[in-house]
Amino acid sequence: MCTVGLAGVFAVLALTPWSELAAEVLTWPVVFLAIAAIAGEVKPIRLVIGGDETRRLSTSAPFVLALVGVAGVGIAVAVQLIASLADDALRRREPKKSLFNTAQYALSVIVAASVYSWLSGVPLFNSVPSDPVAHLLPLMIAGVAMIATNWVLVAVVVSLATAQPMREAVREDMRDLALTNIVLLSIGGVAAEVAADGIGALLLLVAPVVAAHLFTMAAARHAHDATHDALTGLGNRGQLHRDLEQAFAATSPLRTGGPGLVLLDLDHFKDFNDTLGHPVGDEILRQVAVRLREVAPDGASVHRLGGDEFAVVVRGDLNASRQVARDILASLDEPVKVESLELLVRASAGLAVAPLHGDDGETLMKNADIALYHAKLERDRISTFSPEFDINTVERLQLLADLRTALDTGQLHVVYQPQTDLTDGRVVAVEALVRWRHPERGLVPADEFIPLAENSGLIFPVTAFVLDTALAQVAKWHATGLDVRMSVNLSARHLSDQGLPQQVGAALTRHQVPASALVLEVTETAILSDPARADLVLHALRRLGVSIAIDDYGTGNASLSYLKRLEIDELKIDRSFVSNIGADHHDLIIVRSTISLALALDLRVVAEGIEDAETVTALRGLGHVIGQGYHLGRPVEAAELERTLGIEPPAEADAEPARTV
């Protein structure tokens, strides 16, 4: 094609009688049309085809067509050649593509000139008619031939490159661009008609061309805004569904796999937003979007679905989709730099691939979402959808939705378990524990809905509810003379929230409770998941006067260093050691050593899981220990605990529960 096109260019330039043309053509109208053709090539119209897809349409065609009618094929080909090369140079196209473009456009102009010469009777190489009006219809037909030739040549290349039938490629161009090209060709016909009247008449054609540019620019901008996320510039949720439909439509019925969908959710993004502010959070999202674009393979489309959730449509099978997921997560290994901060952003990914996990976009979306939920719930970084996820995960998703409702409708309540000083039998503290009575399922176990809350971010409003309720209750008890501490549990996510100390301080002030009456319990694992940030949060809490307790001590990555560094106030020995000290000598040694260590560090010691009087007796001999367990008191409503503390006598001498002083 390039050979034929270039041969045609050389033949036209060689056979054109340039000296005769120079005497016959209208110089300034030809110069105007030439400049307009070059400008139309380097500054094309961008037409919105569907969704956010745009097509580049040159406006040089009408002016080149007009040159065919008023100056001949030689000048028309020469101007088209200059316009094409100028556009290729500006776009920095590779030589091979530039060569093809030059040949393609030249052949189109030569075909148009040949059709015009044939229909009008004007000689091919001296086509300067004496009466342009009489040859308007042949010129318009020649314009149609020029556009059709261009379409066919492009369709041949597209068909060879993509194995798509040529008729499909031509049909797409005819459907999308036919009407616009008819309008442009009409401008070319008018230009040929008025050229003899001088530049003044031709200048009148500038307005409709400029209007076409402005109109299409506005349409493209509006279409882009409607289909893209304003913050990151990525496609939005609506565009994702369109891209999925197109991916399914473009896939062969005999496909071995694909398209694939990868959903991505940033881990603990709310912590960044709440702690560092929304401007920092927005910048994180923008930088993540840039990284996703960079690692997405050719043919893939990247989208932001809202919040911190992203999606990538992959034109490939399961292996290709998994590789995309791995590349995405690897792209987040480098810290995100925002001003003077370097932030480590992590993410979880879920993926589903057709036809294994669905034969349409909606099913693929649902199953990828389930896979993402599983990845976050199971602490996997990448999870591929599996049918066994479906039932279990749908139930969890429903439970999560119900938990949101429970927060708004008062289904949650707080119960209190006493902590007794084993030396004198006094109840010195209580632990606040959240309970959920579901209207249909009844009492939902805490170990079932608390992990859901932690993974979804609902742990923040749940803990806020528990803290507020517990402090209101302890204020009431203090007013009646019951002097007890109140323990409230924090999750790992709280230790990344640098706004937590302010929230706790506000709650203490609101309920007029002294900070010394509040104990916040954290686990070893929570501290070590993000030690630097945990240090900041826990130190700030201690500056308020709040006590910090290590919960489930001994079950995580026990470390003496954080006991010193964080100035912990209390150790809670896990029930797995305490409940068995009467039968297992090793457990007894562990508990005895822990108590000795804690007391030597001037820490309070709370032993959990006391189920019988023998355990009370054994612990009492090991030092000053506070006990907690069913033997000393179950978690109960505040009113029931008050009755127990006020009127019920001790059940056993060993336990000797007690009136709070």
Side-chain angles (χ1 to χ4, degrees), residues 166-497:
M166 194 175 78
R167 63 179 179 276
E168 292 295 328
V170 173
R171 185 183 297 127
E172 286 184 10
D173 268 352
M174 290 182 65
R175 182 191 67 219
D176 298 335
L177 304 177
L179 181 59
T180 306
N181 276 299
I182 289 173
V183 173
L184 291 176
L185 291 178
S186 300
I187 294 175
V190 173
E193 291 297 318
V194 303
D197 296 325
I199 292 180
L202 288 173
L203 284 173
L204 296 176
L205 299 177
V206 173
V209 175
V210 171
H213 273 278
L214 295 177
F215 177 79
T216 54
M217 285 170 60
R221 184 171 61 253
H222 291 317
H224 184 277
D225 291 345
T227 57
H228 285 72
D229 170 55
L231 178 65
T232 63
L234 300 179
N236 59 17
R237 187 178 291 271
Q239 186 59 36
L240 168 65
H241 290 294
R242 283 187 285 271
D243 284 352
L244 277 174
E245 290 175 5
Q246 292 173 4
F248 274 102
T251 305
S252 166
L254 301 177
R255 65 179 184 265
T256 57
L261 178 62
V262 179
L263 294 184
L264 185 79
D265 189 88
L266 304 185
D267 297 335
H268 309 310
F269 179 71
K270 185 179 185 300
D271 298 339
F272 291 118
N273 253 349
D274 292 348
T275 304
L276 302 174
H278 289 282
V280 172
D282 289 348
E283 181 60 24
I284 291 172
L285 294 174
R286 281 190 286 265
Q287 291 196 35
V288 168
V290 170
R291 296 190 189 188
L292 295 188
R293 281 198 200 96
E294 289 174 347
V295 301
D298 292 340
S301 57
V302 186
H303 308 263
R304 181 188 174 211
L305 307 187
D308 60 338
E309 190 173 1
F310 298 84
V312 180
V313 178
V314 182
R315 303 295 180 99
D317 58 12
L318 181 59
N319 289 333
S321 299
R322 282 176 172 162
Q323 186 59 52
V324 169
R326 287 192 291 268
D327 291 343
I328 288 172
L329 296 189
S331 74
L332 299 177
D333 287 344
E334 284 291 319
V336 172
K337 297 180 180 179
V338 183
E339 297 176 352
S340 61
L341 300 174
E342 290 193 359
L343 305 171
L344 191 60
V345 178
R346 296 297 189 188
S348 300
L351 63 94
V353 179
L356 293 173
H357 309 136
D359 285 317
D360 57 74
E362 184 177 350
T363 305
L364 211 61
M365 185 73 183
K366 176 179 79 83
N367 290 337
D369 198 39
I370 289 173
L372 174 61
Y373 180 82
H374 186 269
K376 294 185 74 67
L377 198 64
E378 303 299 330
R379 301 294 186 182
D380 291 333
R381 297 196 67 193
I382 299 175
S383 180
T384 302
F385 175 77
S386 179
E388 60 262 25
F389 293 172
D390 202 0
I391 296 177
N392 196 23
T393 303
V394 168
E395 288 181 356
R396 287 173 172 173
L397 289 173
Q398 183 59 56
L399 192 63
L400 186 60
D402 291 347
L403 181 56
R404 296 181 191 275
T405 302
L407 280 163
D408 297 330
T409 58
Q411 295 175 23
L412 300 182
H413 64 284
V414 177
V415 295
Y416 305 93
Q417 185 171 26
Q419 296 178 351
T420 302
D421 188 329
L422 300 184
T423 303
D424 56 18
R426 292 184 306 119
V427 172
V428 294
V430 295
E431 181 177 1
L433 302 167
V434 65
R435 294 290 184 263
W436 178 17
R437 190 166 296 281
H438 193 284
E440 297 175 1
R441 301 178 51 156
L443 192 64
V444 181
D447 58 4
E448 186 172 336
F449 74 84
I450 291 298
L452 283 179
E454 289 180 342
N455 282 283
S456 67
L458 282 182
I459 194 63
F460 293 101
V462 168
T463 302
F465 165 77
V466 174
L467 180 64
D468 197 64
T469 304
L471 288 179
Q473 185 59 59
V474 81
K476 177 183 174 183
W477 284 335
H478 284 187
T480 60
L482 297 177
D483 186 12
V484 291
R485 292 186 299 274
M486 179 65 70
S487 291
V488 175
N489 290 281
L490 298 179
S491 76
R493 299 190 71 168
H494 287 100
L495 297 188
S496 297
D497 181 6

Side-chain angles (χ1 to χ4, degrees), residues 593-629:
S593 301
T594 302
I595 292 173
S596 298
L597 171 65
L599 294 177
L601 293 173
D602 199 24
L603 304 179
R604 286 193 302 269
V605 182
V606 178
E608 297 183 284
I610 298 177
E611 308 295 341
D612 51 49
E614 288 75 15
T615 303
V616 172
T617 303
L619 288 170
R620 188 181 291 158
L622 299 179
H624 187 189
V625 177
I626 297 168
Q628 181 176 349

